Amino acid sequence: MVSNLLLIDESNRMYDVKYAPYADEYMGMANGSAYEHLKRWLKRRILFTDSLYDYVPSYADSITIRANTTEEMTIEIETYAPVYQHMSWYNNQMDKKKIDGRTAVTFTGTAQASTDQEVIIYGGSNIKRIRGISTMNPDSMIIGNASKLVELECNNAPLLTDINQNKANLSPNKYLTKVDISNCPQLGGTLRLNNSPLLQEVNAQGTAITGMLLPTSIKNLQTLKVPKGVTELTLNDAKTLTTLDLEEGCLLETLSLSNCNKLKSFDLSKVENINLDNSYEAEELRLSTNKKVSLKNMASLERLVYTPNNEQEDFDLAILKESGDYTITTFNCPQLKEFITTAPQRTSYGESDDVIYPYKLFMANKLDLSNTQLETV
């Protein structure tokens, strides 16, 4: 019963993204029609028969991976339609295996050259998942023809520098739900996922990526792991997002979240400027080095706490001159009544007995709280 409910929920979420925005034109596609079912059956029948008798799809419908290893390579391929899947490890030496369209099949092979060996996988438009690409130690891949690929796993690939001939470009792969390119230290540029509204998980940590281009509305996203090179991040309508993980050493200049109301906790101290609109569902918000904070439509927020941003054991007014300006603005945060800054104390045992000194001070040239509904500071 529970599994059936989960399937229904998944189906509803897919409908919300795939069909609802185009209801006037394609509503019939939600359940299909006799004509569409017949076309689908004929297409699959011809595809299976052609692949059985080695009428291999053209190179124009293939994907290419440049391998750099003489060790055995192992990949798993899952397809949409039943097919005899063809691939070439080197020099058109074909490997063929039957895939039933429901379960993944494992291919193993070795390259002829130790560097820059072209591995070709045919029938890209019929491929649903590929796992194990990292066993090829790739330096580049062209996978744009796998336009309906739902998962891309290529982590721990130290030589990978290019995807789809434009650094980290996954914009041709519109059906992606999961992307794991973590620990590919030479992969840089902007991670382009702007045409993938079905995304659920993204992990780009351990890369040289400096930007993330995501869909304007990304309703299915649940987990996002951000690399340390990214300086600006905007997320809209990520209503299922529960995990936002910033890589160690990451310092975002600007983070803007709108309608991400299931996100309950993440390290805000790594962000310089924060804009939260109906996001981060919590009664208390703890900040540290954040200079500009804008809070909108946060119905449950009651308390705002600024923890120390300078760990100074001895109070020195000269340090205050080097501190920055801090501005906090709020709109429609009806429960926000308290603002607290912490200044714990320590006891110094020196020549004098039990002298109390301030410890870990919050310091700022300017602290603007004018546009808030605070009652207690």
Side-chain angles (χ1 to χ4, degrees):
M1 180 66 180
V2 174
S3 61
N4 288 338
L5 290 175
L6 290 174
L7 288 173
I8 291 172
D9 179 63
E10 178 73 12
S11 177
N12 287 340
R13 288 195 292 112
M14 292 300 180
Y15 169 84
D16 189 40
V17 175
K18 286 183 178 179
Y19 304 114
Y22 316 102
D24 294 339
E25 300 176 66
Y26 303 113
M27 182 60 76
M29 294 296 183
N31 296 311
S33 65
Y35 175 69
E36 294 296 333
H37 282 299
L38 178 60
K39 283 204 308 183
R40 179 175 180 269
W41 182 86
L42 286 172
K43 181 179 179 180
R44 289 189 167 206
R45 180 75 173 181
I46 293 171
L47 179 62
F48 181 82
T49 305
D50 284 351
S51 64
L52 171 63
Y53 291 107
D54 295 330
Y55 181 74
V56 181
S58 70
Y59 185 80
D61 191 34
S62 66
I63 65 176
T64 303
I65 302 168
R66 313 297 297 198
N68 295 271
T69 181
T70 55
E71 301 292 328
E72 184 176 78
M73 299 175 283
T74 302
I75 64 170
E76 287 186 0
I77 299 178
E78 182 180 346
T79 62
Y80 285 93
V83 71
Y84 276 86
Q85 181 65 47
H86 290 71
M87 67 172 296
S88 169
W89 295 106
Y90 62 90
N91 297 341
N92 293 319
Q93 299 297 312
M94 287 293 179
D95 193 357
K96 180 176 77 171
K97 289 188 178 182
K98 181 181 178 181
I99 303 179
D100 61 12
R102 294 186 298 272
T103 55
V105 171
T106 301
F107 289 76
T108 59
T110 55
Q112 193 175 43
S114 60
T115 59
D116 200 33
Q117 176 65 63
E118 183 180 60
V119 177
I120 303 173
I121 303 174
Y122 293 92
S125 59
N126 188 41
I127 294 176
K128 188 174 185 179
R129 291 182 177 88
I130 302 177
R131 298 188 179 98
I133 295 178
S134 57
T135 65
M136 300 181 181
N137 194 22
D139 58 33
S140 65
M141 63 180 81
I142 302 175
I143 57 174
N145 285 331
S147 56
K148 294 188 288 186
L149 189 71
V150 298
E151 290 185 13
L152 175 63
E153 291 186 9
C154 185
N155 50 10
N156 300 301
L159 300 181
L160 184 63
T161 60
D162 188 84
I163 301 176
N164 290 330
Q165 300 177 302
N166 190 10
K167 295 186 177 181
N169 178 27
L170 289 170
S171 57
N173 306 98
K174 300 179 181 181
Y175 282 47
L176 285 170
T177 61
K178 179 180 179 180
V179 174
D180 186 357
I181 51 174
S182 58
N183 299 315
C184 298
Q186 295 194 53
L187 184 63
T190 298
L191 177 57
R192 299 180 182 277
L193 290 163
N194 49 304
N195 293 328
S196 304
L198 304 177
L199 280 171
Q200 297 178 12
E201 298 179 38
V202 179
N203 185 357
Q205 293 185 351
T207 67
I209 287 171
T210 56
M212 302 185 77
L213 188 58
L214 299 170
T216 303
S217 179
I218 189 164
K219 297 180 180 179
N220 292 335
L221 186 65
Q222 299 171 11
T223 301
L224 179 60
K225 297 186 177 182
V226 182
K228 62 183 178 181
V230 174
T231 59
E232 185 173 344
L233 183 64
T234 300
L235 293 173
N236 297 316
D237 295 323
K239 297 180 180 179
T240 59
L241 181 66
T242 57
T243 302
L244 178 60
D245 183 14
L246 305 182
E247 186 178 1
E248 186 68 29
C250 179
L251 182 58
L252 281 175
E253 293 179 4
T254 303
L255 174 66
S256 297
L257 302 178
S258 177
N259 296 322
C260 306
N261 46 24
K262 286 194 176 181
L263 185 63
K264 293 186 180 297
S265 67
F266 65 97
D267 191 357
L268 287 169
S269 67
K270 298 177 180 179
V271 185
E272 189 169 299
N273 304 310
I274 299 175
N275 298 294
L276 301 180
D277 184 354
N278 189 28
S279 302
Y280 199 91
E281 190 73 15
E283 293 181 359
E284 180 179 283
L285 192 61
R286 302 186 73 87
L287 304 171
S288 179
T289 58
N290 322 94
K291 292 186 176 180
K292 291 184 179 180
V293 179
S294 175
L295 308 174
K296 297 180 181 179
N297 303 312
M298 299 180 68
S300 62
L301 184 63
E302 299 178 2
R303 187 179 304 105
L304 188 61
V305 180
Y306 252 84
T307 56
N309 61 310
N310 286 289
E311 297 188 6
Q312 300 292 331
E313 291 198 5
D314 296 315
F315 184 66
D316 186 355
L317 284 175
I319 297 177
L320 189 61
K321 298 178 181 179
E322 301 175 3
S323 301
D325 296 341
Y326 296 82
T327 302
I328 299 171
T329 60
T330 67
F331 176 77
N332 194 25
C333 301
Q335 303 301 319
L336 179 58
K337 304 297 181 183
E338 285 186 89
F339 176 81
I340 301 171
T341 60
T342 58
Q345 295 180 328
R346 71 172 175 87
T347 302
S348 175
Y349 298 95
E351 296 180 359
S352 58
D353 295 331
D354 299 338
V355 176
I356 304 297
Y357 289 98
Y359 178 52
K360 293 186 177 181
L361 299 172
F362 171 79
M363 293 181 288
N365 279 323
K366 178 183 177 183
L367 178 61
D368 185 357
L369 300 171
S370 58
N371 191 25
T372 66
Q373 297 84 35
L374 293 172
E375 296 178 353
T376 305
V377 177

